[in-house]
Amino acid sequence: MENYNVVIVGAGPSGVGISSMLKSFGIEKIIVLERGKIGSTFDMWPEEMRFITPSFTTNFWGHMDLNSIAYGTSPAFTLETEHPTGKEYANYLRKVSEHFELPIKENTNVENVTKTGDQFTISIQNGKTIRSRFLIWAAGEYQYPDLDSFSGSELCLHNSQVKSWRELKGDEFYVIGGNESGIDAAINLSKLGKKVTVLGDKSDPDTKITDPSQTLTPYTIDRLEDEITNERITLIPNSRVTDVKINDGKYYIQIKDKKTPHQCKTKPILATGFISSLSMVKELFEWEKSKSYALLNEHDESRKTSGLFLVGPQVRHEDLVLCFIYKFRQRFGVVT
């Protein structure tokens, strides 16, 4: 039985960021548990997918690179690109881990978490267990795609399962979901000469919304406007998909309150986002029932289980949605 002061689950941007910060604070006996490799989630991105938040090298005003997750580091300086790919950003995370000599244990899957008294017991593979006074959950979401958002979802292809848009065969595609990942898919397919119809369940993408978690970024809008002039992208707002069926090699996509379904010969592409990675520790949190997010105190600590903190894209405080790491900067300096 190994004992630690802090165990961090996940070595993505949240886990690497918070562990580098705690180490700089002088916190000892820390370990980061990663089920794969450091930054492996970003290695899984489609080749064409890039960060939508721009990276700029830290300047004399003291402004940080928006995509930085550790003080004194800059993806723009390290990678020499403004909008890095997933593989490039994974390389940045590994360099940060090496530079700060972070105690990351790769290929270590967490199987169970319990708490007794003031100690967490974390069970990992091969029957091994470790104990910790504090637990920080930084497992993220990307490895948990939403594959069950409507009837027939299993017939579709989730965008996170695409290695490169060049690999998809066919000339015409339907994308279900009109947010960032859906529009990104449409843009990349259109660049390959494909016709794309985007079915979005929200209002027109031109609608002005100030909440950055609810609207497209300028980077995405600029690319969409450049590509839409080629007349290969069709956007259909207010189109909530309720069912997908396949018959005689054709896919039928049913829209709520519409009699006639859309038809296509290629697998519809799911851009429906991701589900929470918190299922393993769900009982250690209180939950907002209608919107299904974990309730946290002002320190991003579980209201139900003291000593359990959450960092990353699942952090939410009522209507304040922190959103994804590659959209805008998240809160890393809150766990002290």
Side-chain angles (χ1 to χ4, degrees), residues 192-222:
L192 294 169
K194 317 290 187 180
K195 288 187 176 181
V196 189
T197 300
V198 180
L199 304 174
D201 61 0
K202 295 183 179 180
S203 58
D204 192 286
D206 290 332
T207 302
K208 297 295 183 182
I209 303 173
T210 57
D211 184 349
S213 67
Q214 301 291 324
T215 187
L216 297 176
T217 60
Y219 176 65
T220 299
I221 293 173
D222 285 345

Side-chain angles (χ1 to χ4, degrees), residues 47-312:
E47 290 181 12
E48 299 83 358
M49 191 174 182
R50 290 180 170 269
F51 272 57
I52 52 183
T53 305
S55 277
F56 291 97
T57 306
T58 302
N59 59 41
F60 290 109
W61 295 98
H63 294 167
M64 291 187 68
D65 185 326
L66 287 174
N67 295 320
S68 170
I69 49 84
Y71 181 76
T73 71
S74 168
F77 180 80
T78 302
L79 305 174
E80 297 183 329
T81 184
E82 184 177 1
H83 295 276
T85 65
K87 290 188 181 298
E88 288 171 335
Y89 197 74
N91 185 42
Y92 159 72
L93 293 178
R94 290 166 191 142
K95 288 184 179 296
V96 170
S97 302
E98 293 171 5
H99 176 75
F100 289 102
E101 298 180 341
L102 299 179
I104 298 175
K105 190 176 181 62
E106 297 180 310
N107 300 312
T108 303
N109 191 43
V110 173
E111 297 180 342
N112 189 44
V113 175
T114 58
K115 187 182 184 187
T116 304
D118 61 352
Q119 289 286 316
F120 289 94
T121 300
I122 300 100
S123 301
I124 56 179
Q125 69 263 37
N126 301 323
K128 297 181 180 179
T129 58
I130 58 179
R131 284 181 178 170
S132 178
R133 181 182 175 191
F134 297 103
L135 176 64
I136 300 177
W137 197 264
E141 295 179 325
Y142 194 83
Q143 296 185 43
Y144 307 89
D146 184 359
L147 303 175
D148 191 30
S149 52
F150 52 82
S151 176
S153 294
E154 70 279 1
L155 300 175
C156 305
L157 177 68
H158 197 277
N159 71 295
S160 65
Q161 299 168 326
V162 176
K163 292 183 178 180
S164 172
W165 296 109
R166 297 190 305 272
E167 297 179 354
L168 271 59
K169 306 299 182 183
D171 298 317
E172 187 171 356
F173 293 86
Y174 274 79
V175 176
I176 301 173
N179 292 325
E180 294 288 351
S181 56
I183 300 300
D184 183 73
I187 291 169
N188 285 302
L189 286 168
S190 177
K191 286 182 177 180
L192 294 169
K194 317 290 187 180
K195 288 187 176 181
V196 189
T197 300
V198 180
L199 304 174
D201 61 0
K202 295 183 179 180
S203 58
D204 192 286
D206 290 332
T207 302
K208 297 295 183 182
I209 303 173
T210 57
D211 184 349
S213 67
Q214 301 291 324
T215 187
L216 297 176
T217 60
Y219 176 65
T220 299
I221 293 173
D222 285 345
R223 292 182 300 139
L224 177 61
E225 289 180 347
D226 288 342
E227 193 57 39
I228 209 166
T229 57
N230 294 316
E231 299 183 348
R232 290 191 288 263
I233 298 177
T234 301
L235 305 176
I236 307 181
N238 301 311
S239 300
R240 180 180 292 277
V241 174
T242 58
D243 183 66
V244 171
K245 289 183 172 68
I246 185 170
N247 189 21
D248 292 333
K250 285 186 178 181
Y251 294 88
Y252 294 84
I253 308 171
Q254 185 63 53
I255 306 299
K256 183 180 180 181
D257 298 328
K258 300 291 182 181
K259 292 183 178 180
T260 305
H262 294 272
Q263 300 180 31
C264 61
K265 295 180 180 179
T266 56
K267 272 191 174 186
I269 297 166
L270 283 181
T272 48
F274 306 88
I275 58 178
S276 173
S277 67
L278 292 170
S279 58
M280 186 183 305
V281 289
K282 186 175 183 179
E283 299 304 319
L284 300 180
F285 287 92
E286 291 181 4
W287 292 81
E288 202 286 330
K289 294 182 180 179
S290 63
K291 298 179 181 178
S292 299
Y293 60 85
L295 297 175
L296 309 171
N297 65 20
E298 61 182 0
H299 304 296
D300 293 352
E301 181 182 21
S302 168
R303 294 186 186 179
K304 183 177 181 179
T305 308
S306 62
L308 171 59
F309 296 86
L310 181 64
V311 295

